[in-house]
Amino acid sequence: MTDREKAPSIDLIEEATYNPKLDKVWRKVDLFVLPVVAMFYLLSFLDRTNLGNARVAGLQTDLKMNNYEYCIALTVTYIPYIVAELPSNLVLKHADSSSVSAKARILHHIHPFPGLQFTQAAYSLASSCTSLSGIPAANSNHGAFSGLLAYGIIHMNGVGHRPGWAWIFILEGLFTVLFGLSSFFTLPHSPARARFLNDEEKEYVVQRLRETGATGDRDEADTFSWSEVGKAFTLPHVWMIAVAFFFDGTLIYGLGYFTPSILSGLGYTNVDAQLYSVPPFAAAFVVAIIVSYLSDRYGARGIVSIFSGVLATIGFAMFYASSSPNVKYGSLFMSITGAYNGAPALSTWNANNTAPYTRRATAIAIGFIMTNSGGILATWLLGGTLSPAPRYTKATLTLMIFSVLMVVFSAMNIAYLVRQNRKKAAIRATTSRESEDSRLGDRSAWFPYSL
């Protein structure tokens, strides 16, 4: 029996339209949507964290920047992302999602994560496929690609009278622009407008999304409403996950931007630091795919978040306690894997437990606002004079504490959702769905929360 068939949010809803033959359509959806969205996630991280590779390759030295100036430059890059998170997500319903995402990648000023997360959620909530949590897992692969690309590109030093680090931005940025343009044609706006589905499949997908709560049971339920925006800010589970997002965001961006610098501090040459940054991120990607599958198979988002926090805690504890460069390097396999496995689970957990459309879009944006806010903190923890290289003592302690707190808030959220599900079960036992207000969204007794 598949996880989709076992999911409580589906079992408790009448499945009048369920058709085993047509239900195979989700594989087709994933085949056409998953690669495009995964590449967007990869490029979004790659085009931000390549600053860390460029720094080790000589950017900071060539531009005569001190650590304070470098941190200011990094901090400025977060501001547009934070400001654009919520409005970009809210307009997605009224604009072509492929257009929004494409322009985001081309302009590099609008963070595509919320829109992409929501686009993938809208397609996959009904199927509970590995893709929904597996897509954000592509984030961890950026470090492997970034290190490999930087290792090769910096050998172009002097070509066109430009330093090697400049070519990192030129070549990776050019690919992003071209891919962004192509997504105008490859990323459909909605299931109803997907060219790879026939009319029967489109109707089936739309109806299944309504039944499982991915969209409202009526078109009016998915229209924009400021009251729904406000309701998202009042949901306890949204804020517990948002706090966990902040802690995990600090870990992700700290390691994403500064792993090459950390390796340089361990004695690796600037060129080798690029190459040796690859294995920890590659390992994190492999684990992320496995964990994402298990998370979907058993619906265990919270457990995965806790597991990820524990892994990260072990990694930072190893880095803090040891003076051996080999042990410190080995610790990165634990801390990077923990940090980058937490993000997919939290992203999916957040999307699965919030409805209808506008409320979910807002909740997803809140999560990524907190993630990017954590990135600002990470910049000053690891890039400034607060915790100098090569030991990064204060930064390591802070990140270790954040890893523990990610475990705590994930556990608190599980406890809260279990309690809410019990209350909903009691309501279902004494009333009918027809008598319930159709505007309740995730607060409906027929919307059990994913744990």
Side-chain angles (χ1 to χ4, degrees), residues 2 4-5 10 13-27 126-127 198-209 211-212:
T2 66
R4 186 202 62 73
E5 293 166 329
I10 294 174
I13 298 172
E14 295 181 5
E15 300 197 47
T17 63
Y18 178 66
N19 184 320
K21 181 180 179 180
L22 284 176
D23 208 55
K24 295 179 181 179
V25 70
W26 300 112
R27 296 180 183 177
S127 60
N198 59 41
D199 291 339
E200 185 181 20
E201 290 171 334
K202 290 176 182 178
E203 182 179 353
Y204 179 74
V205 170
V206 171
Q207 185 58 36
R208 294 295 295 152
L209 290 175
E211 288 181 350
T212 55

Side-chain angles (χ1 to χ4, degrees), residues 364-447:
I364 291 171
I366 290 172
F368 284 107
I369 287 172
M370 295 296 284
T371 302
N372 281 283
S373 299
I376 294 177
L377 176 59
T379 296
W380 292 94
L381 274 176
L382 291 158
T385 58
L386 179 63
S387 186
R391 291 193 59 84
Y392 298 100
T393 303
K394 292 180 179 178
T396 303
L397 277 173
T398 302
L399 296 177
M400 183 167 59
I401 293 171
F402 280 13
S403 301
V404 173
L405 290 174
M406 188 169 75
V407 172
V408 171
F409 275 85
S410 296
M412 288 171 56
N413 196 43
I414 291 176
Y416 170 77
L417 295 177
V418 168
R419 186 167 62 253
Q420 292 301 307
N421 281 344
R422 288 174 180 169
K423 292 180 179 179
K424 291 184 177 188
I427 294 174
R428 291 195 301 271
T430 58
T431 187
S432 65
R433 191 177 187 189
E434 289 71 21
S435 63
E436 185 183 67
D437 187 344
S438 62
R439 298 169 297 180
L440 288 177
D442 58 83
R443 289 174 171 171
S444 166
W446 277 262
F447 190 105

Side-chain angles (χ1 to χ4, degrees), residues 60 65-73 380 383-385:
Q60 187 172 343
M65 300 172 67
N66 57 37
N67 287 343
Y68 176 80
E69 292 169 332
Y70 179 76
C71 288
I72 288 292
W380 292 94
T385 58

